[in-house]
């Protein structure tokens, strides 16, 4: 199976529970950013995500409150660099104790320190950022030697019994042959899965590296082919969407984001407003508007954080899609 069985069963139970309660909208994934402090300043990352002061981090209680409030069965711990968070081991242990599946999204630099204090668990996946082979990745993270360290940590994590996956952003300059080389290399290390996302153009970031919609479509047509050969975590229906082969409305409420500034609305990418409580966030965002993608910031967006949940939301409408997803899950 592509994922541990509990992820699928927890997700199905959560959907059934919400269906029973008559909820049409509910979070599937919590993007938990306990800090906005980082040991890198990568191209493609907005300064608000790495310039934060460590003392402004979320407390453990605030993190657990966010988890309980959202109810989402999957928690992606990101940031900032979460391995800098002083209470990271207690945070992961607490999330596992709450029966969440946790993705620890990291650049890998401090993973050996984390591995010394933590324990592998089938509810924990270590998700290492890797945007290509060594020269490209080190250029993007703006520091030599980071690729080598990340790969060393992937190997160490696997040897210690952790589930280890990778997360790659496809930029305008990304050479898709190099992406295939990276996927083949990571597969040879026994990686558990690889996620590819389009870095799309929006106004906050310098536009030269980010893709417009037609450019994402062209790059992801190749990814659709690569997915037949390599173990990708991106769903085949999302990849078809990113390749321009199908359409979806956005599902911004599927992946909700808690940051040190509050709940970020409407979505992981666009921080139009930060809300102090989950209730104010949930009731304060105009979901109809953001689902419709009529905002200019949505024009080129094909992000998995907005549209993987759309795959889940729309799945029941097509038996063929259900079959495609079933084959993929067991593949
Ligand atoms: S389309 Fe993209 S930018 Fe717009 S709400 Fe959805 S995820 Fe956010």
């Amino acid at each position: 199976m592509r994922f541990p069985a509990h992820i699928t069963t927890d997700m199905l139970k959560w959907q059934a529970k919400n269906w029973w309660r008559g909820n049409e909208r509910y979070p599937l994934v919590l993007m938990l950013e306990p800090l906005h402090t980082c040991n890198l300043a990568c191209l493609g990352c907005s300064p608000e995500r790495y310039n934060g002061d460590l003392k402004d981090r979320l407390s453990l209680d605030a993190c657990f409150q966010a988890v309980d409030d959202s109810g989402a069965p999957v928690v992606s711990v990101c940031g900032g660099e979460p391995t800098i968070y002083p209470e990271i081991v207690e945070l992961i242990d607490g999330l596992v104790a709450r029966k969440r599946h946790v993705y620890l999204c990291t650049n890998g630099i401090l993973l050996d320190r984390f591995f010394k204090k933590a324990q592998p668990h089938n509810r924990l996946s270590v998700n290492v950022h890797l945007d290509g082979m060594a020269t490209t990745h080190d250029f993007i993270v703006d520091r030599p030697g980071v690729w080598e360290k990340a790969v060393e940590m992937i190997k160490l994590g696997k040897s210690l019994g952790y589930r280890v996956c990778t997360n790659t952003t496809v930029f305008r300059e990304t050479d898709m042959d190099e992406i295939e080389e990276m996927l083949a290399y990571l597969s040879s290390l026994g990686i558990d899965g690889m996620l590819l996302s389009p870095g799309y153009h929006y106004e906050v970031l310098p536009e030269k590296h980010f893709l417009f919609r037609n450019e994402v479509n062209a790059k992801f047509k190749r990814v659709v082919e690569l997915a037949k050969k390599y173990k990708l975590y991106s769903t085949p229906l999302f990849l078809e969407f990113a390749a321009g082969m199908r359409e979806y409305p956005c599902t911004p409420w599927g992946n909700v984001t808690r940051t040190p500034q509050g709940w970020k609305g409407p979505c992981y990418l666009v921080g139009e407003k930060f809300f102090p409580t989950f209730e104010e966030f949930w009731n304060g965002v105009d979901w109809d508007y953001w689902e419709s993608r009529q905002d200019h910031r949505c024009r080129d967006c094909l992000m998995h954080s907005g549209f993987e949940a759309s795959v889940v939301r729309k799945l029941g409408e097509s038996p063929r899609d259900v079959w495609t997803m079933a084959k993929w899950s067991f593949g």
Side-chain angles (χ1 to χ4, degrees), residues 200 250-252 266-270 290-291 293 295 297-299 301-303 305-307:
Y200 89 101
C250 183
T251 307
C267 68
Y268 181 66
L269 294 157
V270 178
W290 291 100
E291 278 180 17
R293 301 169 66 186
D295 193 90
R297 286 161 288 187
C298 302
R299 190 187 58 199
C301 177
L302 300 161
M303 285 294 290
S305 54
F307 295 96

Short mmCIF file of all heavy atoms in Angstrom, two decimals, residues 200 250-252 266-270 290-291 293 295 297-299 301-303 305-307, ligand 1:
data_model
loop_
_atom_site.label_atom_id
_atom_site.label_comp_id
_atom_site.label_asym_id
_atom_site.label_seq_id
_atom_site.Cartn_x
_atom_site.Cartn_y
_atom_site.Cartn_z
N TYR A 200 3.72 28.17 -8.08
CA TYR A 200 2.99 29.00 -9.04
C TYR A 200 3.21 30.47 -8.74
O TYR A 200 3.58 30.85 -7.63
CB TYR A 200 1.49 28.63 -9.02
CG TYR A 200 0.68 29.42 -8.02
CD1 TYR A 200 -0.10 30.49 -8.44
CD2 TYR A 200 0.69 29.12 -6.67
CE1 TYR A 200 -0.85 31.22 -7.54
CE2 TYR A 200 -0.05 29.83 -5.77
CZ TYR A 200 -0.82 30.89 -6.21
OH TYR A 200 -1.55 31.61 -5.32
N CYS A 250 -11.53 25.14 -6.03
CA CYS A 250 -10.58 25.03 -4.93
C CYS A 250 -11.29 24.56 -3.66
O CYS A 250 -12.50 24.73 -3.49
CB CYS A 250 -9.91 26.39 -4.67
SG CYS A 250 -8.67 26.28 -3.37
N THR A 251 -10.53 23.93 -2.76
CA THR A 251 -11.06 23.51 -1.47
C THR A 251 -10.13 24.08 -0.38
O THR A 251 -9.39 23.33 0.26
CB THR A 251 -11.15 21.97 -1.39
OG1 THR A 251 -11.88 21.50 -2.53
CG2 THR A 251 -11.85 21.48 -0.13
N PRO A 252 -10.15 25.40 -0.19
CA PRO A 252 -9.18 26.00 0.73
C PRO A 252 -9.38 25.57 2.18
O PRO A 252 -8.42 25.58 2.97
CB PRO A 252 -9.42 27.51 0.56
CG PRO A 252 -10.77 27.64 -0.03
CD PRO A 252 -11.03 26.40 -0.82
N PRO A 266 -7.42 33.17 3.51
CA PRO A 266 -8.27 32.00 3.32
C PRO A 266 -7.52 30.66 3.23
O PRO A 266 -8.12 29.61 3.39
CB PRO A 266 -8.93 32.28 1.97
CG PRO A 266 -7.87 33.02 1.20
CD PRO A 266 -7.19 33.89 2.23
N CYS A 267 -6.20 30.71 2.94
CA CYS A 267 -5.56 29.43 2.64
C CYS A 267 -4.09 29.47 3.01
O CYS A 267 -3.57 30.49 3.46
CB CYS A 267 -5.72 29.09 1.15
SG CYS A 267 -4.78 30.18 0.09
N TYR A 268 -3.43 28.35 2.80
CA TYR A 268 -2.01 28.22 3.13
C TYR A 268 -1.17 29.29 2.44
O TYR A 268 -0.18 29.77 2.99
CB TYR A 268 -1.55 26.82 2.70
CG TYR A 268 -0.11 26.53 3.00
CD1 TYR A 268 0.33 26.44 4.31
CD2 TYR A 268 0.81 26.35 1.97
CE1 TYR A 268 1.67 26.17 4.59
CE2 TYR A 268 2.14 26.08 2.25
CZ TYR A 268 2.56 26.00 3.56
OH TYR A 268 3.88 25.74 3.84
N LEU A 269 -1.58 29.69 1.24
CA LEU A 269 -0.77 30.63 0.45
C LEU A 269 -1.14 32.08 0.69
O LEU A 269 -0.28 32.94 0.77
CB LEU A 269 -0.95 30.32 -1.04
CG LEU A 269 -0.41 28.98 -1.46
CD1 LEU A 269 -1.09 28.51 -2.73
CD2 LEU A 269 1.07 29.05 -1.65
N VAL A 270 -2.42 32.34 0.74
CA VAL A 270 -2.88 33.73 0.81
C VAL A 270 -3.28 34.06 2.25
O VAL A 270 -4.23 33.49 2.79
CB VAL A 270 -4.07 33.97 -0.14
CG1 VAL A 270 -4.58 35.40 -0.02
CG2 VAL A 270 -3.67 33.68 -1.58
N TRP A 290 -13.75 31.97 -2.23
CA TRP A 290 -12.43 31.38 -2.48
C TRP A 290 -12.51 30.05 -3.21
O TRP A 290 -11.62 29.72 -3.99
CB TRP A 290 -11.65 31.27 -1.16
CG TRP A 290 -11.29 32.63 -0.66
CD1 TRP A 290 -11.92 33.33 0.31
CD2 TRP A 290 -10.25 33.49 -1.16
NE1 TRP A 290 -11.35 34.57 0.46
CE2 TRP A 290 -10.31 34.69 -0.43
CE3 TRP A 290 -9.28 33.37 -2.15
CZ2 TRP A 290 -9.44 35.76 -0.66
CZ3 TRP A 290 -8.40 34.42 -2.37
CH2 TRP A 290 -8.49 35.61 -1.64
N GLU A 291 -13.60 29.31 -3.00
CA GLU A 291 -13.76 28.07 -3.77
C GLU A 291 -13.88 28.36 -5.27
O GLU A 291 -13.45 27.58 -6.11
CB GLU A 291 -15.04 27.34 -3.34
CG GLU A 291 -14.89 26.51 -2.10
CD GLU A 291 -16.21 25.83 -1.74
OE1 GLU A 291 -17.11 25.73 -2.58
OE2 GLU A 291 -16.33 25.40 -0.58
N ARG A 293 -12.42 30.56 -7.08
CA ARG A 293 -11.15 30.95 -7.70
C ARG A 293 -11.25 32.24 -8.50
O ARG A 293 -10.51 32.43 -9.46
CB ARG A 293 -10.63 29.82 -8.61
CG ARG A 293 -10.42 28.52 -7.87
CD ARG A 293 -10.16 27.37 -8.80
NE ARG A 293 -8.90 27.50 -9.51
CZ ARG A 293 -8.50 26.68 -10.46
NH1 ARG A 293 -9.27 25.68 -10.82
NH2 ARG A 293 -7.35 26.85 -11.06
N ASP A 295 -10.68 35.24 -7.34
CA ASP A 295 -9.70 36.22 -6.89
C ASP A 295 -8.47 36.17 -7.82
O ASP A 295 -8.08 35.10 -8.27
CB ASP A 295 -9.28 35.89 -5.45
CG ASP A 295 -8.50 37.02 -4.82
OD1 ASP A 295 -9.15 37.90 -4.21
OD2 ASP A 295 -7.26 37.05 -4.96
N ARG A 297 -5.46 36.33 -7.13
CA ARG A 297 -4.36 35.53 -6.60
C ARG A 297 -4.55 34.03 -6.85
O ARG A 297 -3.64 33.23 -6.67
CB ARG A 297 -4.20 35.80 -5.09
CG ARG A 297 -3.57 37.14 -4.81
CD ARG A 297 -3.82 37.61 -3.40
NE ARG A 297 -5.21 38.01 -3.21
CZ ARG A 297 -5.69 38.58 -2.10
NH1 ARG A 297 -4.89 38.78 -1.09
NH2 ARG A 297 -6.95 38.93 -2.01
N CYS A 298 -5.75 33.66 -7.24
CA CYS A 298 -6.04 32.24 -7.51
C CYS A 298 -5.80 31.87 -8.98
O CYS A 298 -5.83 30.70 -9.33
CB CYS A 298 -7.49 31.92 -7.17
SG CYS A 298 -7.92 32.29 -5.46
N ARG A 299 -5.58 32.89 -9.80
CA ARG A 299 -5.58 32.69 -11.25
C ARG A 299 -4.65 31.56 -11.70
O ARG A 299 -5.02 30.70 -12.48
CB ARG A 299 -5.18 34.01 -11.91
CG ARG A 299 -5.37 34.04 -13.41
CD ARG A 299 -4.79 35.31 -14.00
NE ARG A 299 -3.36 35.41 -13.67
CZ ARG A 299 -2.65 36.52 -13.71
NH1 ARG A 299 -3.23 37.65 -14.02
NH2 ARG A 299 -1.36 36.54 -13.40
N CYS A 301 -3.01 29.44 -9.59
CA CYS A 301 -2.75 28.50 -8.51
C CYS A 301 -3.23 27.09 -8.84
O CYS A 301 -4.38 26.89 -9.21
CB CYS A 301 -3.44 28.98 -7.22
SG CYS A 301 -3.23 27.81 -5.87
N LEU A 302 -2.32 26.14 -8.68
CA LEU A 302 -2.67 24.72 -8.85
C LEU A 302 -2.03 23.94 -7.70
O LEU A 302 -1.53 22.84 -7.88
CB LEU A 302 -2.13 24.23 -10.21
CG LEU A 302 -2.67 24.95 -11.45
CD1 LEU A 302 -1.78 24.73 -12.65
CD2 LEU A 302 -4.07 24.46 -11.77
N MET A 303 -2.04 24.55 -6.52
CA MET A 303 -1.30 23.98 -5.40
C MET A 303 -2.00 22.77 -4.79
O MET A 303 -3.23 22.78 -4.64
CB MET A 303 -1.13 25.03 -4.30
CG MET A 303 -0.09 26.07 -4.63
SD MET A 303 1.58 25.39 -4.70
CE MET A 303 1.88 25.04 -2.98
N SER A 305 -2.13 22.05 -1.79
CA SER A 305 -2.83 22.42 -0.55
C SER A 305 -4.25 22.92 -0.82
O SER A 305 -5.10 22.89 0.07
CB SER A 305 -2.03 23.49 0.21
OG SER A 305 -1.77 24.59 -0.65
N GLY A 306 -4.51 23.38 -2.03
CA GLY A 306 -5.88 23.80 -2.36
C GLY A 306 -6.67 22.73 -3.08
O GLY A 306 -7.90 22.70 -3.00
N PHE A 307 -5.98 21.83 -3.80
CA PHE A 307 -6.71 20.98 -4.74
C PHE A 307 -6.64 19.48 -4.47
O PHE A 307 -7.44 18.74 -5.03
CB PHE A 307 -6.25 21.30 -6.17
CG PHE A 307 -6.60 22.70 -6.58
CD1 PHE A 307 -5.67 23.73 -6.46
CD2 PHE A 307 -7.87 23.02 -7.02
CE1 PHE A 307 -6.00 25.04 -6.80
CE2 PHE A 307 -8.22 24.32 -7.36
CZ PHE A 307 -7.28 25.34 -7.24
S1 LIG B 1 -6.86 28.73 -5.59
FE1 LIG B 1 -4.89 28.70 -4.45
S2 LIG B 1 -4.62 30.82 -3.73
FE2 LIG B 1 -6.80 30.57 -4.28
S3 LIG B 1 -7.81 29.94 -2.36
FE3 LIG B 1 -7.27 28.10 -3.47
S4 LIG B 1 -5.26 27.48 -2.60
FE4 LIG B 1 -5.60 29.66 -2.07
#
